[in-house]
């Protein structure tokens, strides 16, 4: 800044014309000096006279929205790709012509004016042109009073157009049972097309014709009712006018009690978090969101219960916790002798250390916070959203939420939450809350990241990118260049490898898991494909930040390299297996990746069920074996945990307690809450819920405890405490055998043992 002061001092001693020129140069020069301090990846601009700093690549429209400047628009919906067709969002950037702010990226030093007379006059003219062809009031304006075009036109004083109206009506389409189409109210904003294509991937809508005769068409200009439209309603929700409206109000609603308050659409639109949400959508889904008041000590939801709603806290505080004992099922011997009874007990991790067990410091739950492993309790505050995965995917509740101070919260069904999550204003608030409150705990919850310095954590809070993926959407592809490291924030990610003859699912990753380190530490190529299984949100750390992290913190590199080495070794083992045994024969039966299979030789088996009874006798009466399953040649692969090619048991676990080791063996972690979803998902009945009696605090009598039954999931443990599995030992005809499928079936196929 010294240069600026020197120029100013020189200007005062010069002639008046020179002084004026020098002052202008100095003022123009002074702001440019501030760009030196602009952090990498950010841009400084002047917006209506105020300095604003935003991320590079941000559009002028988003820069204004994020800083409280209102720019009207009709064609731009926050959940869709901007196209700049309505030209209502034009701003003055100092160029020869006005620019559409939704598609104009910011540039360093850019000076933007959003409300000059020139800009306002251009917008008014655009509105008058649209209103000249618009049937006012349109159906939407009549039903809910929030036609976006008519609202903006009234505010700009353009309700009465100066231009001649269209003489030929384009007509209405009443062929659909769910949606009414009025082509005369269409303004060709393309929002319905992008909603159909980008959000729902149905690809039914498109433009037809040119110029004056242009319009929206379904398929090859078929009536909507005769087209491939599935009546999902996305086009109707996206439409800003009465061109697409609902024929009947949706009956979905939350039961309203004494503690709940319903809303009208107009009331919701006055609430900041609903800013920008379609009023028509809220009107059609009236009753799908209520405001609830909870008193201190009340339970909002319990762990393990199934639900269909999410909660957004407006006021007050609540405690979120897991009451299930943090312990896993341990089976140990009882009476002496070879054929002895086994007893299942609950054992803490410190008492029963299991090989290759995750040393997680936090427990992932369906909320904006994670729970510490040693004391699974955390606090929810205003601005926190919990129950998102329960609402979107109908998973069990992951934790119990108890009110600590009177709470006011929105409770919403899936249809409302889905549209809210597409709203950038609401998303920005959630993301900011996550960066501020949960990102550091999320990172430090991974043991190898515990040594990251506070300074580097603060850097990551600003530099990471939060990404969202729809169910079935590809995140990374096998063989693609590796340029990022990912942490799973919400949802489940399927990790799979493609082999000749089939796909092998390696794992389902949930909140708290990570992926991408092998490609970044190795040859720079993705070794597996990752796909969103449901609604997934990821924290993306760029390759540059990842390399900086492993360079500055050797312990992080050491930990990641150890994990990567284990995974690469497992990959090589599987590849060797593929070369030795035809994979299609194994994949067709789901046998390839099993570590130990119970097979029954049907030529010797007499169907006496001694193996099943022995399993039940050895495990407190709860059998882990069913004499049924897949046939392979003369052998029956009995129903006992086989570490499936596609481990469906792992899908949907609300706390991520069931996972796969690098050896592909399924393990159930200590914090299983006993919801039973894994047992329901297992198609072979190999996972069971084992009841245990535990002592908990009595809510009715302070200071006292009472006995309750808590369940924990358990699967076949191969009777590891015995010399031989009970099922095998009990077989009187030598028909039951535990085998390694990689050698047993390879020899059967005449290809020799796997090497």
């Amino acid at each position: 800044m010294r240069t600026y002061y020197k120029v100013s001092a020189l200007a005062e001693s010069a002639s008046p014309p020179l002084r004026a020129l020098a002052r202008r140069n100095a003022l123009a020069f002074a702001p440019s000096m501030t760009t030196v301090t602009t952090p990498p990846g950010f841009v400084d601009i002047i917006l209506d006279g105020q300095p604003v700093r935003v991320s590079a690549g941000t559009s002028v429209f988003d820069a204004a929205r994020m800083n409280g400047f209102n720019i009207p628009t009709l064609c731009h919906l926050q959940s869709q790709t901007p196209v700049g067709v309505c030209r209502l969002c034009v701003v003055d950037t100092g160029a020869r012509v006005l620019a559409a702010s939704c598609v104009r990226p910011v540039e360093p030093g850019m000076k933007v004016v959003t409300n000059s007379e020139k800009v306002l006059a251009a917008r008014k003219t655009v509105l008058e042109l649209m209103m000249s062809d618009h049937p006012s009031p349109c159906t939407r304006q009549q039903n809910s009073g929030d036609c976006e075009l008519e609202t903006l036109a009234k505010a700009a004083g353009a309700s009465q157009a100066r231009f001649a109206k269209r003489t030929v009506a384009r007509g209405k389409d009443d062929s659909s049972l769910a949606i009414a189409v009025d082509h005369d109210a269409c303004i060709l904003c393309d929002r319905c097309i992008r909603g159909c294509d980008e959000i729902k991937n149905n690809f039914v809508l498109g433009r037809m014709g040119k110029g004056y005769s242009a319009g929206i068409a379904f398929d090859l200009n078929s009536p909507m009712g005769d087209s491939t439209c599935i009546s999902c309603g996305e086009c109707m929700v996206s439409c800003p006018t009465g061109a697409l409206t609902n024929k009947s109000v949706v009956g979905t609603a939350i039961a309203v009690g004494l503690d709940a308050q319903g809303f009208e659409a107009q009331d919701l639109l006055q609430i900041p978090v609903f800013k920008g949400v379609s009023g028509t959508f809220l009107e059609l889904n009236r009753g799908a969101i209520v405001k609830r008041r909870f008193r201190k000590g009340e339970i909002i939801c319990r762990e393990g219960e199934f639900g269909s709603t999410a909660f957004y806290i407006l006021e007050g505080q609540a405690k979120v916790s897991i009451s299930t004992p943090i312990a896993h099922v341990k089976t140990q011997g009882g009476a002496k002798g070879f054929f002895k009874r086994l007893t299942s007990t609950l054992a803490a991790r410190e008492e029963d250390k299991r090989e290759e067990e995750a040393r997680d410091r936090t427990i992932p739950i369906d909320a904006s916070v994670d729970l510490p492993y040693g004391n699974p309790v955390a606090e929810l505050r205003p601005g926190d959203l919990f129950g998102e995965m329960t609402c979107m995917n109908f998973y069990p509740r992951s934790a119990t939420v108890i009110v600590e101070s009177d709470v006011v919260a929105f409770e919403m069904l899936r249809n409302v939450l889905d549209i809210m999550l597409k709203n950038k204003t609401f998303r920005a608030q959630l993301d900011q809350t996550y960066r501020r409150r949960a990102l550091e705990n999320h990172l430090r919850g991974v043991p190898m990241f515990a040594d990251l310095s506070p300074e580097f954590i603060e850097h990551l809070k600003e530099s990471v990118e939060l990404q969202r993926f729809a169910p079935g959407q590809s995140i990374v592809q096998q063989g693609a260049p590796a340029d990022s490291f990912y942490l799973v924030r919400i949802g489940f990610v399927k990790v799979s490898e493609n082999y000749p003859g089939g796909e092998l699912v390696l794992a389902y990753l949930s909140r708290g898991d990570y992926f991408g380190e092998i490609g970044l530490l190795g040859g720079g190529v993705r070794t597996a494909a990752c796909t969103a299984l449901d609604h997934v949100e990821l924290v993306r750390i760029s390759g540059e930040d990842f390399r900086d992290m492993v360079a500055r913190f050797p312990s992080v590199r050491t930990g990641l390299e150890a994990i990567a080495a284990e995974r690469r070794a497992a990959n090589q083992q599987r590849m060797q297996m593929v070369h030795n045994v035809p994979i299609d024969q194994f994949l067709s039966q789901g046998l390839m990746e099993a570590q130990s299979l119970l097979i029954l030789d049907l030529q010797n088996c007499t169907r006496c069920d001694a193996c099943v009874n022995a399993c039940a006798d050895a495990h407190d009466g709860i059998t882990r074996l069913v004499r049924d399953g897949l046939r392979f040649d003369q052998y029956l692969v009995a129903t006992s945990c086989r570490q499936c090619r596609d481990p469906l048991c792992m899908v949907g676990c609300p706390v991520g307690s069931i996972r796969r080791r690098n050896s592909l063996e399924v393990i159930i972690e200590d914090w299983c809450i006993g919801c039973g979803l894994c047992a329901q998902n297992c198609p072979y009945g190999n996972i069971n819920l084992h009841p245990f009696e535990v002592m908990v605090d009595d809510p009715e009598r302070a200071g006292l405890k009472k006995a309750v039954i808590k369940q924990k999931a358990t699967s076949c443990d191969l009777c590891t405490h015995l010399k031989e599995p009970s099922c095998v030992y009990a077989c009187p005809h030598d028909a039951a055998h535990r085998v390694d499928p990689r050698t047993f079936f390879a020899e059967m196929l005449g290809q020799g043992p796997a090497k």
Side-chain angles (χ1 to χ4, degrees):
M1 296 301 292
R2 292 195 188 96
T3 307
Y4 167 70
Y5 291 123
K6 287 180 180 179
V7 173
S8 299
L10 178 63
E12 296 305 321
S13 63
S15 61
L18 287 177
R19 283 203 300 270
L21 178 62
R23 286 196 186 97
R24 286 198 298 270
N25 290 340
L27 291 174
F29 179 72
S32 67
M33 295 297 291
T34 62
T35 60
V36 177
T37 60
T38 303
F42 290 86
V43 172
D44 287 331
I45 65 172
I46 303 297
L47 193 58
D48 284 343
Q50 296 187 25
V52 170
R53 175 172 292 171
V54 295
S55 300
T58 302
S59 68
V60 173
F61 182 89
D62 283 338
R65 176 187 56 81
M66 290 186 293
N67 289 278
F69 295 87
N70 180 46
I71 298 178
T73 183
L74 284 172
C75 72
H76 180 39
L77 202 60
Q78 295 181 19
S79 58
Q80 300 175 1
T81 303
V83 292
V85 297
C86 75
R87 316 309 286 184
L88 194 61
C89 67
V90 291
V91 295
D92 190 349
T93 61
R96 181 177 59 86
V97 296
L98 301 180
S101 61
C102 65
V103 293
R104 180 70 164 88
V106 296
E107 295 178 356
M110 175 185 283
K111 296 182 180 180
V112 180
V113 179
T114 68
N115 55 5
S116 66
E117 291 185 8
K118 178 181 178 181
V119 170
L120 296 178
R123 291 176 184 164
K124 183 177 180 180
T125 301
V126 171
L127 288 170
E128 288 181 309
L129 287 167
M130 291 184 182
M131 285 297 294
S132 67
D133 285 341
H134 186 71
S136 179
C138 65
T139 306
R140 175 169 176 172
Q141 187 69 14
Q142 294 174 20
N143 291 343
S144 56
D146 70 333
C147 169
E148 296 179 33
L149 172 59
E150 296 187 45
T151 301
L152 290 172
K154 181 178 179 181
S159 297
Q160 299 298 323
R162 295 174 291 164
F163 308 100
K165 290 186 174 293
R166 180 188 293 269
T167 56
V168 179
R170 288 177 286 182
K172 297 183 178 181
D173 179 0
D174 201 42
S175 60
S176 171
L177 296 176
I179 300 173
V181 182
D182 184 355
H183 289 288
D184 290 322
C186 177
I187 59 174
L188 295 177
C189 65
D190 286 354
R191 276 167 45 169
C192 59
I193 297 176
R194 283 171 285 152
C196 185
D197 293 355
E198 297 178 3
I199 298 178
K200 294 301 184 181
N201 297 315
N202 289 326
F203 303 98
V204 177
L205 282 159
R207 278 205 180 205
M208 172 196 69
K210 298 180 180 179
Y212 187 76
S213 62
I216 298 298
F218 301 90
D219 291 338
L220 297 177
N221 199 24
S222 301
M224 188 179 192
D226 297 336
S227 70
T228 57
C229 172
I230 61 173
S231 299
C232 68
E234 189 65 41
C235 59
M236 178 189 63
V237 172
S238 301
C239 181
T241 69
L244 296 165
T245 54
N246 195 56
K247 283 189 172 181
S248 59
V249 176
V250 178
T252 303
I254 300 175
V256 178
L258 297 177
D259 61 343
Q261 171 190 347
F263 288 97
E264 296 295 331
Q266 295 84 349
D267 299 330
L268 284 174
L269 291 173
Q270 302 304 315
I271 301 172
V273 294
F274 289 92
K275 185 178 180 181
V277 177
S278 166
T280 297
F281 173 82
L282 295 176
E283 181 68 24
L284 294 174
N285 289 277
R286 185 192 309 158
I289 179 170
V290 297
K291 180 190 285 187
R292 292 199 182 276
R293 298 183 182 274
F294 300 94
R295 303 302 179 188
K296 182 178 180 179
E298 284 190 66
I299 297 177
I300 300 178
C301 62
R302 287 184 173 88
E303 64 193 62
E305 293 181 344
F306 280 83
S308 59
T309 60
F311 295 87
Y312 178 79
I313 297 181
L314 292 172
E315 303 173 11
Q317 295 180 344
K319 180 180 71 174
V320 56
S321 62
I322 289 180
S323 60
T324 300
I326 306 300
H328 60 266
V329 180
K330 178 183 179 182
T331 304
Q332 53 191 3
K336 295 182 179 180
F338 183 81
F339 189 62
K340 59 184 178 181
R341 184 180 181 83
L342 301 179
T343 301
S344 295
T345 59
L346 291 178
R349 181 175 293 180
E350 293 73 17
E351 301 171 5
D352 181 37
K353 294 184 178 180
R354 297 176 292 179
E355 184 181 356
E356 200 186 304
E357 187 169 25
R359 304 299 301 178
D360 297 299
R361 302 188 179 193
T362 58
I363 299 172
I365 60 172
D366 186 12
S368 56
V369 295
D370 291 331
L371 303 183
Y373 178 83
N375 182 29
V377 179
E379 191 176 77
L380 296 174
R381 306 170 187 167
D384 285 336
L385 177 72
F386 66 94
E388 180 177 343
M389 295 308 294
T390 295
C391 180
M392 298 297 289
N393 302 290
F394 306 110
Y395 293 153
R397 301 285 184 189
S398 62
T400 300
V401 180
I402 303 176
V403 177
E404 287 194 316
S405 62
D406 290 358
V407 165
V408 178
F410 286 132
E411 182 180 9
M412 61 191 84
L413 291 171
R414 175 177 178 172
N415 45 352
V416 173
L417 179 61
D418 185 47
I419 203 71
M420 291 293 293
L421 292 174
K422 296 172 184 175
N423 181 274
K424 287 189 177 180
T425 303
F426 186 69
R427 288 293 318 155
Q429 182 174 338
L430 291 181
D431 291 348
Q432 183 61 31
T433 300
Y434 172 75
R435 289 176 190 268
R436 185 180 70 252
R437 290 197 58 202
L439 180 56
E440 181 171 357
N441 292 335
H442 192 168
L443 287 168
R444 295 196 184 281
V446 181
M448 64 191 68
F449 293 158
D451 295 333
L452 295 180
S453 66
E455 294 78 14
F456 192 77
I457 293 280
E458 289 300 318
H459 166 71
L460 289 179
K461 284 183 179 181
E462 298 298 329
S463 64
V464 298
E465 180 182 355
L466 303 179
Q467 297 184 336
R468 185 175 177 84
F469 296 87
Q473 187 174 354
S474 174
I475 301 171
V476 298
Q477 295 183 345
Q478 184 174 345
D483 59 354
S484 306
F485 177 76
Y486 295 92
L487 291 169
V488 182
R489 176 186 173 193
I490 289 175
F492 288 83
V493 175
K494 182 177 74 172
V495 183
S496 59
E497 291 179 349
N498 293 316
Y499 293 108
E503 177 191 65
L504 173 64
V505 177
L506 304 181
Y508 288 109
L509 305 180
S510 61
R511 181 182 173 97
D513 291 323
Y514 59 88
F515 61 94
E517 79 286 351
I518 295 181
L520 290 170
L521 292 173
V525 176
R526 301 290 185 194
T527 59
C530 297
T531 308
L533 193 66
D534 47 25
H535 298 270
V536 169
E537 293 186 22
L538 301 176
V539 179
R540 176 186 173 273
I541 299 177
S542 67
E544 180 180 354
D545 280 338
F546 179 85
R547 286 184 285 270
D548 184 27
M549 178 174 65
V550 297
R552 292 174 56 182
F553 304 98
S555 61
V556 173
R557 172 180 283 276
T558 301
L560 288 174
E561 285 180 341
I563 295 295
E566 291 179 6
R567 293 176 177 176
R568 280 194 292 264
N571 291 346
Q572 292 176 358
Q573 185 181 31
R574 285 189 290 273
M575 283 300 297
Q576 186 181 47
M577 192 189 314
V578 170
H579 293 311
N580 288 328
V581 181
I583 190 172
D584 56 344
Q585 296 190 41
F586 273 81
L587 292 182
S588 63
Q589 298 282 340
L591 308 178
M592 179 188 115
E593 64 279 2
Q595 306 301 299
S596 176
L597 286 180
L598 173 63
I599 62 170
L600 303 178
D601 188 340
L602 297 179
Q603 293 184 348
N604 296 332
C605 178
T606 61
R607 284 69 170 175
C608 65
D609 272 348
C611 55
V612 177
N613 295 330
C615 182
D617 290 341
H619 294 93
D620 299 332
I622 301 176
T623 184
R624 303 178 186 183
L625 166 65
V626 178
R627 190 178 50 77
D628 191 11
L630 299 171
R631 290 283 299 269
F632 193 90
D633 196 53
Q634 71 188 56
Y635 296 95
L636 172 72
V637 180
T639 298
S640 179
C641 186
R642 298 184 283 117
Q643 290 78 54
C644 305
R645 172 172 60 98
D646 190 352
L648 298 177
C649 57
M650 298 173 61
V651 179
C653 177
V655 290
S657 64
I658 183 168
R659 67 176 183 87
R660 212 168 200 176
R661 293 172 171 170
N662 292 333
S663 63
L664 297 184
E665 180 184 352
V666 172
I667 184 173
I668 299 174
E669 295 279 14
D670 296 342
W671 56 85
C672 166
I673 62 173
C675 67
L677 188 60
C678 56
Q680 295 178 30
N681 286 344
C682 178
Y684 309 112
N686 293 336
I687 296 180
N688 299 283
L689 292 178
H690 202 302
F692 295 93
E693 183 179 287
V694 298
M695 302 300 294
V696 300
D697 293 332
D698 189 343
E700 299 178 357
R701 296 179 295 175
L704 299 179
K705 292 183 177 294
K706 66 176 183 178
V708 297
I709 299 297
K710 294 286 185 179
Q711 297 185 127
K712 290 279 188 175
T714 183
S715 61
C716 176
D717 59 359
L718 305 181
C719 295
T720 52
H721 289 77
L722 300 178
K723 295 181 180 179
E724 190 174 17
S726 298
C727 53
V728 175
Y729 177 77
C731 180
H733 306 292
D734 195 32
H737 301 275
R738 279 282 181 179
V739 301
D740 179 354
R742 290 171 294 178
T743 56
F744 183 81
F745 289 106
E747 293 172 356
M748 278 187 59
L749 294 170
Q751 299 185 19
K755 298 179 180 179

